[in-house]
Each structure stands twice: as C-alpha cells, then as structure tokens.
Amino acid sequence: MSSAVVTALEHLREGCFQRSLCLIVAATSIASGLEVGYEHYKGSYSNPVMYTPVVLSGALAAAGLSGMLSRLAARTLLRWVSVITLVDGVIGFFFHVRGIARKPGGWGLPVTNIVMGPPIFAPLLFGTSAYLGLMASYLRREEDLDRPAQHLTEWFEPQSSDWRMNLRHGRFQKHLSAVTVLWAFFSGVEALYSHYKTNFRYKAQWTPVLLTPLLMAAGVGAMKSRRIANTALPAVAALALADGAAGFCYHARGIVRRPGGIKKPLYNILYGPPVFAPLLFAACGFLGLVASLLRREKK
C-alpha cells in the first residue's frame, strides 16, 4: 500500500479530513442544486418555496469552498448553512407529501400518486450534502494530525462519549452506518418508482433496487458488529458507488440518444432521465465506505 493511501486512511481514522470533505460538499451541492433546479423548472416554480433549495445549494457550495480555505468558515458559515439546508429539505419533504395528497385520489391511490406525483424523498436526499457539511464543520483539519499539541490534547482528554468529541476524532462509525441505512432507503425508493415509470426497460435499472436492501442490511450489521463494518459494508458500499457511477453514464447516454441529442441540451436534460439522480445513490455508497474506515464510538 502506497504511503499516500496510508496517510489518507490515517487522516480518516483520526477525523482530520475537514478540507477534503468541504470540497466534496461543494461539488455534491452543485450537482444536487442543478438536479432540483431543473426538476422545479418542470413545475414552473409554481410555489416560491421551490426557489429555496436552488439558492441554498449555491450557498452551501460557497460555504464548502470557504470551509476548505478557512477553519473559522468551516466551523461557522458551513455549519449554519448546512443546518438551514437540512431544515429546508425537511420542509420540502412535507410539501412533496402534500403534493401527493392533493392529486386526484390522494393517498387512496398511493402507488399511482407516488409514482406520478412529486418525488417524495427527493428533498431529504437533497440534504445529503448538507449533512456532510454539518459533519465537516466538527472535524479537524488535515494539518492537525501532525501537530504535537493535538496529540497532547487527545492524550489528556477525558474518556468522553460526547458526539462532538467523537466526530472530532473520527469515532462515529456506528452513527454514519445508521445514516447510510436511512439514505440508502430514500435513494432506493426513488430509484424504484423512477424506473417503474419506464417499466424497467433495461435490466440495469434493477441494480439500484436490488443493491438497496443489501446496503441497508450491511449498514445495520455495521452498527452492531465491527467485523461487518470492516468487511461486508465496504464491499456492498463499493458496489453501490460503482453502480451509481454507471447509472450516471446510462442516464447521460439516455439524454444524448433523445431526438436532437446534444444539439438540444437544455430540452433533453429537462425531459430526459434525471442525469444526477444516480449520483445520489453513489453518495450512499460513499457514506458506507467512509463509515467502514472510521473508528467506533467510545461507549
């Protein structure tokens, strides 16, 4: 194993990867912002609240970049923008539930109206980047790993189980495994009814649906067993990450194959397969991989 990989793993295990995670937050928030932007464009922004995730995704991307450059920005700006974005995702979830209830038949026709109505879990998945941003705001910087003062602080610190202390020192494996389970469920349901709309035309459309329960089971097992967290979880999470990346390529290909192809990019992106949706499933795999590399919480 190369020294660079060993160093990266050590940073992860010690909770010293704030800069790296801030950069990931910025990139994922841009992708999710573009996704929600054109989905709400289809709805003609009929409700002013539909603008909030678009604005917040830009704010979160800027906060992520600021956090990468500044420790203070990571602990203040990124933290509060992440909290506001998470709250916005919860509010959006209730608006989507209400939108389904207002369709003809309401919840009396649950399958039809969930499939044809607003994507019920999409606002919660939008919060993935915000959750990572909140987590990043409590981590330590990469350069803190080699500071003698940091080692002395950890040596003399009380054996505290406070969640903030656990985050700062990379001890949140069970917590992140639980988050992986939750987000995998949301993403898997979204993939299920999105692909159901096209009658599972391609066999590859079954893969995220089949991988979802496997990833959830591995996440639950990782919460209870260190061995599962170090074996089954990274294996299934890597498959989910690869499947999401492959799904992104399939969706991009689907857009290119529409009438007009790349000559009508905006129209075909709007009405073709959601190009960034598979990356949300890949993000679940990413969470699982990170969880497998962390240390377990102090009891």
Side-chain angles (χ1 to χ4, degrees), residues 176-177 180 215 222 229 233-234 237-238 282-293:
L176 196 57
S177 296
T180 300
L215 184 56
L233 181 58
C284 298
F286 172 78
L287 290 176
L289 279 176
V290 173
S292 71
L293 298 171

Side-chain angles (χ1 to χ4, degrees), residues 144-225:
D144 290 345
L145 184 65
D146 300 318
R147 288 184 178 179
Q150 290 291 332
H151 292 290
L152 287 173
T153 300
E154 186 170 4
W155 180 267
F156 289 108
E157 74 178 19
Q159 298 298 302
S160 171
S161 60
D162 178 76
W163 63 270
R164 287 164 293 190
M165 188 64 69
N166 281 332
L167 271 174
R168 281 184 56 78
H169 294 281
R171 297 188 296 262
F172 54 103
Q173 186 178 74
K174 291 190 285 186
H175 171 80
L176 196 57
S177 296
V179 173
T180 300
V181 173
L182 191 63
W183 256 274
F185 173 75
F186 295 154
S187 186
V189 172
E190 289 287 310
L192 174 62
Y193 69 69
S194 178
H195 291 168
Y196 176 81
K197 291 179 182 180
T198 61
N199 296 314
F200 289 94
R201 182 179 176 185
Y202 302 102
K203 292 181 180 179
Q205 292 179 317
W206 285 102
T207 56
V209 178
L210 297 175
L211 280 172
T212 293
L214 293 178
L215 184 56
M216 291 176 65
V220 171
M223 293 165 60
K224 299 180 179 296
S225 166

Side-chain angles (χ1 to χ4, degrees), residues 272-296:
V275 66
F276 292 117
L279 296 182
L280 293 174
F281 186 72
C284 298
F286 172 78
L287 290 176
L289 279 176
V290 173
S292 71
L293 298 171
L294 295 169
R295 294 183 291 169
R296 294 181 83 76

Side-chain angles (χ1 to χ4, degrees), residues 59-260:
L60 186 60
L65 292 174
S66 298
M68 186 178 66
L69 299 173
S70 165
R71 188 191 301 265
L72 179 61
R75 291 180 177 178
T76 54
L77 179 63
L78 178 60
R79 183 174 300 174
W80 286 109
V81 173
S82 297
V83 169
I84 294 169
T85 305
L86 281 170
V87 171
D88 184 73
V90 173
I91 293 172
F93 171 69
F94 285 109
F95 271 101
H96 281 216
V97 170
R98 190 185 70 170
I100 292 170
R102 288 183 171 182
K103 290 186 70 67
W107 287 104
L109 297 171
V111 175
T112 300
N113 286 336
I114 287 176
V115 170
M116 303 308 296
I120 188 169
F121 291 127
L124 298 179
L125 285 169
F126 173 71
T128 304
S129 300
Y131 181 82
L132 291 175
L134 183 61
M135 188 170 71
S137 73
Y138 287 99
L139 294 175
R140 292 181 292 166
R141 312 288 278 186
E142 281 79 351
E143 58 268 25
D144 290 345
L145 184 65
D146 300 318
R147 288 184 178 179
Q150 290 291 332
H151 292 290
L152 287 173
T153 300
E154 186 170 4
W155 180 267
F156 289 108
E157 74 178 19
Q159 298 298 302
S160 171
S161 60
D162 178 76
W163 63 270
R164 287 164 293 190
M165 188 64 69
N166 281 332
L167 271 174
R168 281 184 56 78
H169 294 281
R171 297 188 296 262
F172 54 103
Q173 186 178 74
K174 291 190 285 186
H175 171 80
L176 196 57
S177 296
V179 173
T180 300
V181 173
L182 191 63
W183 256 274
F185 173 75
F186 295 154
S187 186
V189 172
E190 289 287 310
L192 174 62
Y193 69 69
S194 178
H195 291 168
Y196 176 81
K197 291 179 182 180
T198 61
N199 296 314
F200 289 94
R201 182 179 176 185
Y202 302 102
K203 292 181 180 179
Q205 292 179 317
W206 285 102
T207 56
V209 178
L210 297 175
L211 280 172
T212 293
L214 293 178
L215 184 56
M216 291 176 65
V220 171
M223 293 165 60
K224 299 180 179 296
S225 166
R226 186 193 302 269
R227 184 174 183 179
I228 293 176
N230 294 334
T231 54
L233 181 58
V236 179
L239 285 175
L241 182 60
D243 187 73
F248 172 74
C249 295
Y250 270 106
H251 282 216
R253 188 185 70 171
I255 291 170
V256 172
R257 288 183 172 182
R258 287 179 60 84

